[in-house]
Amino acid sequence: CSNTRFSRLMATVNLLPNADLANDWTLSTGSDLYEVINEDNTGAAFADGSTASTTTAGHEFYVALTNFTEDFSSIDSVQVVVRAGVNSRGATFRIRTALTDSAGSPNILYDETSGTQNASIGYRTITFTSRTTSDGSSAWTNTDLNNLRLLVEADVLSTGTCRCTFAYAIVTYTEPVATDNAVFFGTNF
């Protein structure tokens, strides 16, 4: 008889941009979009030296994401997060995101637009809906996650320059962990 039981632990991992697929935005440095949007900057948007920017509503970028390599018993949700900002006084903006698969003609899994964001000297963290299924009814699989692509669009931009410093997907999953529940009945009391 075994005293080993499995308990469930919730964990998260970020799927970061790792390849460019398409881009209308201007890069502040280098030639690879994914390199300027795969790490956070908590400072002022106008002083960030590693951003993608646009002054045109409708401009998009599209990136592949890193693979999901964790051990899991279930994949509980996927959620897109974008850190973007406009620092022109009185400006507003909206960000649209789409999660797609990598099929020959990409299939949009989820398409969502943020609420209106006001201008700020810093970035706004825009957190989109946590999606518990890959298509509205099927559980997420490892294959689904490894085929995810992320599209980000400056959906509405009243004036100024919209800058994006970070865009990624958070995967929440349950990992099985073996625990030993054997009770020690020793003589050393």
Side-chain angles (χ1 to χ4, degrees):
C1 176
S2 172
N3 289 324
T4 301
R5 222 175 29 149
F6 285 94
S7 64
R8 298 165 90 62
L9 296 177
M10 297 295 287
T12 62
V13 67
N14 294 340
L15 302 183
L16 302 174
N18 71 345
D20 297 353
L21 301 174
N23 181 31
D24 292 333
W25 294 48
T26 301
L27 305 181
S28 61
T29 186
S31 59
D32 295 317
L33 167 74
Y34 75 92
E35 288 186 347
V36 300
I37 61 163
N38 68 1
E39 58 188 41
D40 198 6
N41 178 301
T42 57
F46 67 88
D48 186 355
S50 182
T51 67
S53 64
T54 185
T55 58
T56 306
H59 274 185
E60 300 175 337
F61 63 77
Y62 188 46
V63 293
L65 300 173
T66 54
N67 285 339
F68 179 74
T69 59
E70 309 302 318
D71 290 331
F72 66 94
S73 62
S74 67
I75 299 166
D76 303 308
S77 66
V78 176
Q79 183 174 42
V80 172
V81 177
V82 175
R83 295 224 346 117
V86 175
N87 66 344
S88 298
R89 182 174 295 196
T92 59
F93 69 102
R94 266 190 348 219
I95 296 291
R96 175 183 158 255
T97 63
L99 281 174
T100 73
D101 63 23
S102 64
S105 176
N107 177 40
I108 293 177
L109 305 173
Y110 292 103
D111 191 338
E112 186 174 3
T113 303
S114 71
T116 299
Q117 306 292 312
N118 293 317
S120 171
I121 195 165
Y123 290 108
R124 300 277 183 200
T125 300
I126 306 165
T127 306
F128 293 87
T129 303
S130 181
R131 305 297 182 168
T132 58
T133 63
S134 63
D135 61 3
S137 62
S138 302
W140 288 102
T141 66
N142 197 42
T143 300
D144 293 332
L145 296 181
N146 290 344
N147 289 325
L148 277 182
R149 306 295 183 253
L150 175 62
L151 177 126
V152 175
E153 177 187 10
D155 181 56
V156 173
L157 179 58
S158 66
T159 188
T161 301
C162 182
R163 290 178 176 83
C164 179
T165 192
F166 202 21
Y168 62 101
I170 300 171
V171 177
T172 302
Y173 63 99
T174 302
E175 57 183 3
V177 176
T179 58
D180 188 356
N181 290 329
V183 178
F184 176 71
F185 293 104
T187 57
N188 298 333
F189 291 108

